Amino acid sequence: KKKTSAKPKVPAAHPKYVDMIKAAVASLKERGGSSRQAILKYVMANYKVGTDLKAVNSRIKNALKNGVKAGTLKQSKGTGAAGSFKLGESKSEKPSKVKKVAAKK
């Protein structure tokens, strides 16, 4: 058998799905959070992700689940990839709690 050389990987014409979801939630500005369907509609309209709705939908579902698990997204309603999503708090801005020990005289 003749080995075929692997094609060089072409970078995607869009950012990561988590980044696209963050942009969608931020721009939709819904008070109770944005639904997966609304996020999907926004991503399909604003990014070059292709025309296959099922493939994009499944990737968005996975990105939503991973974003909630990582803490970058917060689920306001529902479970899994269903319900509404808001932006999560950034972890770098948490103040560290240090107890001061009183000096004895």
Side-chain angles (χ1 to χ4, degrees):
K1 288 183 178 179
K2 191 176 182 183
K3 288 187 177 182
T4 57
S5 62
K7 293 180 183 177
K9 205 169 192 182
V10 180
H14 56 78
K16 291 183 178 182
Y17 275 89
V18 175
D19 297 333
M20 291 190 286
I21 290 170
K22 284 182 192 176
V25 172
S27 67
L28 290 171
K29 296 179 183 174
E30 293 180 32
R31 198 176 120 202
S34 301
S35 67
R36 179 184 45 80
Q37 292 90 341
I39 293 169
L40 174 67
K41 195 173 181 182
Y42 180 89
V43 168
M44 292 292 284
N46 293 303
Y47 297 100
K48 295 179 182 177
V49 289
T51 56
D52 190 5
L53 195 66
K54 284 186 178 180
V56 175
N57 192 23
S58 67
R59 290 184 186 116
I60 283 181
K61 282 182 187 178
N62 284 333
L64 285 170
K65 288 178 191 174
N66 292 336
V68 169
K69 192 182 286 185
T72 55
L73 295 171
K74 191 167 64 172
Q75 195 161 13
S76 57
K77 294 178 197 163
T79 57
S84 300
F85 299 88
K86 292 181 177 182
L87 292 176
E89 290 84 28
S90 57
K91 293 181 179 178
S92 61
E93 295 178 19
K94 283 189 176 178
S96 60
K97 294 182 180 179
V98 179
K99 292 184 178 179
K100 293 183 181 180
V101 179
K104 295 181 181 178
K105 289 187 181 178

